Amino acid sequence: MLTLVLCGALVNAVFGITMAVVVSLLDFYFHWRGYNASSVWRRGLRGDQRTDRLLRYTLERRGHRVLHARTVPGHEQADEVLVGPGGIWLVHNEAWHPETEIAPYGGKVFVDGRTQTKLMATLTGSAETIGRLLTEETGEKVVVRPLLIVHGGRLARSPFEADGVVFATPFRMLRWIRKNPTADYSHEQVESLARTTVHVLPVGRSTITAA
């Protein structure tokens, strides 16, 4: 209403009505965006199912292969292992309260002021194990990067890297993956690595839990 009155007084009634509609639409968008971002957390989920769908309808159509719920020997379950032309990534999901602050300080990640030592060690250790197993099977050096997709919470910036793990919201993580390759695999190599990953990582049911 204030926008309508001010713009109407300064310009004219039509401009005032137009600006009021624009402000209302923007207000609705930002409220919807916040509500949607926290929907995973409100339902008591971590976001892996949402990420599964997102990867299936985006990167899988660009030559990537997504392996869901694989158990890493000596560790726990990986939400997704993504094999693509630009490399291999271990993908983990977390959903936090919408007001949770997630930020890097001194190379470490802090969630509401608390470090996540156990979770970070689990993710980096799992990625290293997958890389070692694939290296042993293929005879070629394979590097696996751990990624954490954040569903809800307040990221200091997106993406950022801390504790050897890349943090980002879902769509910004997709962009980061495309723009930050660690390898240059052909289609045949992607298919071969995906089959090898299936071989070395059995389907599992346990989950990675935060510290």
Short mmCIF file of all heavy atoms in Angstrom, two decimals, residues 92-133:
data_model
loop_
_atom_site.label_atom_id
_atom_site.label_comp_id
_atom_site.label_asym_id
_atom_site.label_seq_id
_atom_site.Cartn_x
_atom_site.Cartn_y
_atom_site.Cartn_z
N HIS A 92 26.62 -35.83 -0.91
CA HIS A 92 25.89 -36.02 0.35
C HIS A 92 24.89 -34.88 0.50
O HIS A 92 25.08 -33.79 -0.04
CB HIS A 92 26.88 -36.02 1.53
CG HIS A 92 26.22 -36.25 2.84
ND1 HIS A 92 25.60 -37.45 3.16
CD2 HIS A 92 26.07 -35.45 3.94
CE1 HIS A 92 25.12 -37.38 4.39
NE2 HIS A 92 25.38 -36.17 4.87
N ASN A 93 23.80 -35.14 1.21
CA ASN A 93 22.74 -34.15 1.40
C ASN A 93 22.48 -33.90 2.87
O ASN A 93 22.52 -34.83 3.68
CB ASN A 93 21.44 -34.65 0.76
CG ASN A 93 21.55 -34.86 -0.73
OD1 ASN A 93 21.34 -33.96 -1.52
ND2 ASN A 93 21.91 -36.08 -1.13
N GLU A 94 22.22 -32.64 3.22
CA GLU A 94 21.81 -32.29 4.57
C GLU A 94 20.74 -31.20 4.50
O GLU A 94 20.82 -30.30 3.66
CB GLU A 94 22.99 -31.77 5.40
CG GLU A 94 23.97 -32.84 5.85
CD GLU A 94 23.40 -33.80 6.88
OE1 GLU A 94 22.36 -33.47 7.50
OE2 GLU A 94 23.98 -34.89 7.05
N ALA A 95 19.73 -31.32 5.38
CA ALA A 95 18.69 -30.29 5.49
C ALA A 95 18.74 -29.72 6.90
O ALA A 95 18.63 -30.47 7.87
CB ALA A 95 17.32 -30.90 5.20
N TRP A 96 18.93 -28.41 6.98
CA TRP A 96 18.97 -27.75 8.28
C TRP A 96 17.81 -26.78 8.41
O TRP A 96 17.18 -26.39 7.42
CB TRP A 96 20.29 -26.99 8.43
CG TRP A 96 21.46 -27.85 8.78
CD1 TRP A 96 21.68 -28.50 9.96
CD2 TRP A 96 22.59 -28.18 7.95
NE1 TRP A 96 22.87 -29.21 9.91
CE2 TRP A 96 23.46 -29.03 8.70
CE3 TRP A 96 22.97 -27.84 6.65
CZ2 TRP A 96 24.65 -29.52 8.20
CZ3 TRP A 96 24.16 -28.34 6.15
CH2 TRP A 96 24.99 -29.17 6.92
N HIS A 97 17.53 -26.37 9.66
CA HIS A 97 16.51 -25.38 9.94
C HIS A 97 16.79 -24.13 9.10
O HIS A 97 17.95 -23.75 8.90
CB HIS A 97 16.53 -25.04 11.43
CG HIS A 97 15.44 -24.11 11.85
ND1 HIS A 97 15.50 -22.75 11.65
CD2 HIS A 97 14.25 -24.35 12.48
CE1 HIS A 97 14.40 -22.18 12.12
NE2 HIS A 97 13.63 -23.12 12.62
N PRO A 98 15.74 -23.45 8.61
CA PRO A 98 15.94 -22.28 7.74
C PRO A 98 16.82 -21.19 8.35
O PRO A 98 17.47 -20.44 7.62
CB PRO A 98 14.51 -21.77 7.52
CG PRO A 98 13.65 -22.97 7.70
CD PRO A 98 14.32 -23.81 8.74
N GLU A 99 16.86 -21.09 9.67
CA GLU A 99 17.66 -20.04 10.31
C GLU A 99 19.09 -20.49 10.64
O GLU A 99 19.87 -19.72 11.20
CB GLU A 99 16.97 -19.58 11.60
CG GLU A 99 15.59 -18.97 11.38
CD GLU A 99 15.64 -17.76 10.46
OE1 GLU A 99 16.54 -16.92 10.62
OE2 GLU A 99 14.78 -17.67 9.56
N THR A 100 19.44 -21.72 10.34
CA THR A 100 20.77 -22.24 10.64
C THR A 100 21.83 -21.53 9.80
O THR A 100 21.71 -21.43 8.59
CB THR A 100 20.84 -23.75 10.37
OG1 THR A 100 19.86 -24.42 11.19
CG2 THR A 100 22.22 -24.31 10.70
N GLU A 101 22.88 -21.07 10.46
CA GLU A 101 23.98 -20.39 9.77
C GLU A 101 25.07 -21.40 9.40
O GLU A 101 25.56 -22.13 10.26
CB GLU A 101 24.59 -19.31 10.66
CG GLU A 101 23.61 -18.20 11.05
CD GLU A 101 23.33 -17.24 9.91
OE1 GLU A 101 24.08 -17.30 8.91
OE2 GLU A 101 22.36 -16.46 10.01
N ILE A 102 25.43 -21.45 8.12
CA ILE A 102 26.44 -22.38 7.63
C ILE A 102 27.53 -21.55 6.95
O ILE A 102 27.28 -20.91 5.93
CB ILE A 102 25.83 -23.38 6.63
CG1 ILE A 102 24.61 -24.07 7.26
CG2 ILE A 102 26.86 -24.40 6.18
CD1 ILE A 102 23.59 -24.52 6.27
N ALA A 103 28.72 -21.56 7.54
CA ALA A 103 29.76 -20.66 7.03
C ALA A 103 31.15 -21.25 7.25
O ALA A 103 31.37 -22.03 8.18
CB ALA A 103 29.67 -19.30 7.72
N PRO A 104 32.11 -20.89 6.37
CA PRO A 104 33.50 -21.33 6.54
C PRO A 104 34.31 -20.30 7.33
O PRO A 104 34.18 -19.10 7.12
CB PRO A 104 34.00 -21.42 5.10
CG PRO A 104 33.24 -20.34 4.38
CD PRO A 104 31.91 -20.20 5.07
N TYR A 105 35.16 -20.81 8.22
CA TYR A 105 36.09 -19.96 8.96
C TYR A 105 37.41 -20.71 9.09
O TYR A 105 37.43 -21.83 9.61
CB TYR A 105 35.57 -19.62 10.36
CG TYR A 105 34.32 -18.77 10.37
CD1 TYR A 105 33.07 -19.34 10.60
CD2 TYR A 105 34.38 -17.39 10.12
CE1 TYR A 105 31.92 -18.58 10.59
CE2 TYR A 105 33.24 -16.62 10.12
CZ TYR A 105 32.01 -17.22 10.36
OH TYR A 105 30.87 -16.46 10.34
N GLY A 106 38.49 -20.10 8.63
CA GLY A 106 39.79 -20.72 8.76
C GLY A 106 39.89 -22.09 8.11
O GLY A 106 40.60 -22.97 8.60
N GLY A 107 39.17 -22.27 7.00
CA GLY A 107 39.24 -23.55 6.29
C GLY A 107 38.31 -24.62 6.82
O GLY A 107 38.27 -25.73 6.27
N LYS A 108 37.56 -24.32 7.89
CA LYS A 108 36.62 -25.28 8.46
C LYS A 108 35.19 -24.77 8.31
O LYS A 108 34.96 -23.56 8.24
CB LYS A 108 36.92 -25.53 9.94
CG LYS A 108 38.23 -26.26 10.19
CD LYS A 108 38.39 -26.58 11.66
CE LYS A 108 39.61 -27.46 11.90
NZ LYS A 108 39.46 -28.80 11.26
N VAL A 109 34.23 -25.70 8.28
CA VAL A 109 32.84 -25.30 8.20
C VAL A 109 32.25 -25.26 9.60
O VAL A 109 32.56 -26.11 10.45
CB VAL A 109 32.03 -26.25 7.29
CG1 VAL A 109 31.93 -27.66 7.90
CG2 VAL A 109 30.63 -25.69 7.04
N PHE A 110 31.41 -24.27 9.83
CA PHE A 110 30.72 -24.14 11.10
C PHE A 110 29.22 -24.07 10.84
O PHE A 110 28.76 -23.32 9.98
CB PHE A 110 31.17 -22.88 11.84
CG PHE A 110 32.55 -22.98 12.42
CD1 PHE A 110 33.67 -22.80 11.61
CD2 PHE A 110 32.75 -23.26 13.76
CE1 PHE A 110 34.96 -22.89 12.12
CE2 PHE A 110 34.03 -23.37 14.28
CZ PHE A 110 35.13 -23.18 13.46
N VAL A 111 28.46 -24.88 11.58
CA VAL A 111 27.01 -24.88 11.48
C VAL A 111 26.47 -24.36 12.81
O VAL A 111 26.61 -25.03 13.84
CB VAL A 111 26.46 -26.30 11.18
CG1 VAL A 111 24.94 -26.28 11.15
CG2 VAL A 111 27.02 -26.81 9.86
N ASP A 112 25.92 -23.17 12.77
CA ASP A 112 25.50 -22.47 14.00
C ASP A 112 26.64 -22.42 15.02
O ASP A 112 26.44 -22.66 16.22
CB ASP A 112 24.26 -23.14 14.61
CG ASP A 112 22.96 -22.56 14.04
OD1 ASP A 112 23.02 -21.52 13.35
OD2 ASP A 112 21.90 -23.15 14.29
N GLY A 113 27.83 -22.14 14.52
CA GLY A 113 28.99 -21.96 15.39
C GLY A 113 29.68 -23.23 15.82
O GLY A 113 30.66 -23.18 16.56
N ARG A 114 29.21 -24.38 15.37
CA ARG A 114 29.81 -25.67 15.75
C ARG A 114 30.47 -26.33 14.54
O ARG A 114 29.92 -26.35 13.44
CB ARG A 114 28.75 -26.61 16.33
CG ARG A 114 28.06 -26.10 17.57
CD ARG A 114 27.02 -27.07 18.05
NE ARG A 114 27.58 -28.37 18.36
CZ ARG A 114 26.85 -29.45 18.68
NH1 ARG A 114 25.52 -29.37 18.70
NH2 ARG A 114 27.44 -30.58 18.96
N THR A 115 31.66 -26.87 14.76
CA THR A 115 32.33 -27.61 13.69
C THR A 115 31.60 -28.92 13.42
O THR A 115 30.83 -29.39 14.26
CB THR A 115 33.79 -27.90 14.06
OG1 THR A 115 33.82 -28.68 15.28
CG2 THR A 115 34.58 -26.62 14.25
N GLN A 116 31.86 -29.49 12.26
CA GLN A 116 31.23 -30.76 11.85
C GLN A 116 32.32 -31.79 11.56
O GLN A 116 32.35 -32.42 10.51
CB GLN A 116 30.36 -30.52 10.63
CG GLN A 116 29.25 -29.54 10.82
CD GLN A 116 28.18 -30.05 11.76
OE1 GLN A 116 27.57 -31.09 11.52
NE2 GLN A 116 27.95 -29.33 12.84
N THR A 117 33.21 -31.97 12.54
CA THR A 117 34.40 -32.80 12.34
C THR A 117 34.07 -34.21 11.90
O THR A 117 34.66 -34.74 10.94
CB THR A 117 35.23 -32.84 13.63
OG1 THR A 117 35.54 -31.50 14.03
CG2 THR A 117 36.51 -33.62 13.42
N LYS A 118 33.14 -34.85 12.58
CA LYS A 118 32.83 -36.26 12.27
C LYS A 118 32.25 -36.40 10.87
O LYS A 118 32.67 -37.27 10.09
CB LYS A 118 31.84 -36.82 13.29
CG LYS A 118 31.51 -38.28 13.06
CD LYS A 118 30.54 -38.80 14.12
CE LYS A 118 30.18 -40.26 13.87
NZ LYS A 118 29.22 -40.77 14.89
N LEU A 119 31.30 -35.55 10.52
CA LEU A 119 30.68 -35.62 9.19
C LEU A 119 31.70 -35.35 8.10
O LEU A 119 31.77 -36.05 7.10
CB LEU A 119 29.52 -34.64 9.10
CG LEU A 119 28.83 -34.52 7.74
CD1 LEU A 119 28.27 -35.87 7.30
CD2 LEU A 119 27.74 -33.47 7.78
N MET A 120 32.54 -34.32 8.31
CA MET A 120 33.54 -33.98 7.29
C MET A 120 34.56 -35.11 7.10
O MET A 120 34.94 -35.43 5.98
CB MET A 120 34.26 -32.68 7.67
CG MET A 120 33.37 -31.45 7.74
SD MET A 120 32.53 -31.08 6.17
CE MET A 120 30.92 -31.81 6.46
N ALA A 121 34.99 -35.71 8.21
CA ALA A 121 35.94 -36.82 8.12
C ALA A 121 35.32 -38.01 7.40
O ALA A 121 35.98 -38.70 6.62
CB ALA A 121 36.41 -37.22 9.51
N THR A 122 34.03 -38.24 7.65
CA THR A 122 33.34 -39.35 6.98
C THR A 122 33.26 -39.12 5.48
O THR A 122 33.52 -40.02 4.68
CB THR A 122 31.92 -39.51 7.55
OG1 THR A 122 32.00 -39.82 8.94
CG2 THR A 122 31.18 -40.63 6.83
N LEU A 123 32.92 -37.89 5.08
CA LEU A 123 32.79 -37.60 3.66
C LEU A 123 34.12 -37.64 2.93
O LEU A 123 34.24 -38.24 1.86
CB LEU A 123 32.13 -36.23 3.47
CG LEU A 123 30.67 -36.11 3.93
CD1 LEU A 123 30.16 -34.69 3.75
CD2 LEU A 123 29.79 -37.09 3.18
N THR A 124 35.14 -37.00 3.49
CA THR A 124 36.45 -37.01 2.83
C THR A 124 37.05 -38.41 2.83
O THR A 124 37.67 -38.83 1.85
CB THR A 124 37.42 -36.02 3.50
OG1 THR A 124 37.50 -36.31 4.91
CG2 THR A 124 36.93 -34.58 3.33
N GLY A 125 36.86 -39.15 3.92
CA GLY A 125 37.36 -40.53 3.99
C GLY A 125 36.67 -41.42 2.98
O GLY A 125 37.31 -42.26 2.33
N SER A 126 35.36 -41.25 2.83
CA SER A 126 34.61 -42.05 1.85
C SER A 126 35.06 -41.74 0.44
O SER A 126 35.23 -42.65 -0.38
CB SER A 126 33.10 -41.77 1.99
OG SER A 126 32.61 -42.20 3.25
N ALA A 127 35.26 -40.45 0.14
CA ALA A 127 35.72 -40.07 -1.20
C ALA A 127 37.10 -40.65 -1.50
O ALA A 127 37.35 -41.15 -2.60
CB ALA A 127 35.74 -38.55 -1.32
N GLU A 128 37.99 -40.60 -0.51
CA GLU A 128 39.33 -41.15 -0.70
C GLU A 128 39.27 -42.66 -0.93
O GLU A 128 40.00 -43.21 -1.77
CB GLU A 128 40.20 -40.84 0.51
CG GLU A 128 40.57 -39.36 0.61
CD GLU A 128 41.24 -39.03 1.93
OE1 GLU A 128 41.40 -39.96 2.77
OE2 GLU A 128 41.60 -37.87 2.14
N THR A 129 38.39 -43.35 -0.19
CA THR A 129 38.27 -44.80 -0.35
C THR A 129 37.74 -45.16 -1.74
O THR A 129 38.24 -46.08 -2.39
CB THR A 129 37.34 -45.38 0.73
OG1 THR A 129 37.93 -45.18 2.01
CG2 THR A 129 37.11 -46.88 0.51
N ILE A 130 36.73 -44.42 -2.20
CA ILE A 130 36.19 -44.68 -3.54
C ILE A 130 37.28 -44.46 -4.60
O ILE A 130 37.45 -45.27 -5.51
CB ILE A 130 34.98 -43.78 -3.83
CG1 ILE A 130 33.84 -44.08 -2.86
CG2 ILE A 130 34.51 -43.98 -5.28
CD1 ILE A 130 32.69 -43.10 -2.95
N GLY A 131 38.02 -43.37 -4.45
CA GLY A 131 39.11 -43.10 -5.40
C GLY A 131 40.15 -44.19 -5.39
O GLY A 131 40.64 -44.61 -6.46
N ARG A 132 40.51 -44.69 -4.20
CA ARG A 132 41.52 -45.76 -4.10
C ARG A 132 41.01 -47.04 -4.75
O ARG A 132 41.74 -47.70 -5.50
CB ARG A 132 41.85 -46.01 -2.63
CG ARG A 132 42.81 -47.19 -2.41
CD ARG A 132 43.15 -47.36 -0.95
NE ARG A 132 41.97 -47.51 -0.12
CZ ARG A 132 41.28 -48.65 0.03
NH1 ARG A 132 41.65 -49.74 -0.65
NH2 ARG A 132 40.23 -48.71 0.82
N LEU A 133 39.75 -47.41 -4.49
CA LEU A 133 39.19 -48.63 -5.07
C LEU A 133 39.14 -48.55 -6.59
O LEU A 133 39.46 -49.53 -7.29
CB LEU A 133 37.80 -48.88 -4.51
CG LEU A 133 37.72 -49.24 -3.01
CD1 LEU A 133 36.27 -49.28 -2.55
CD2 LEU A 133 38.39 -50.59 -2.76
#
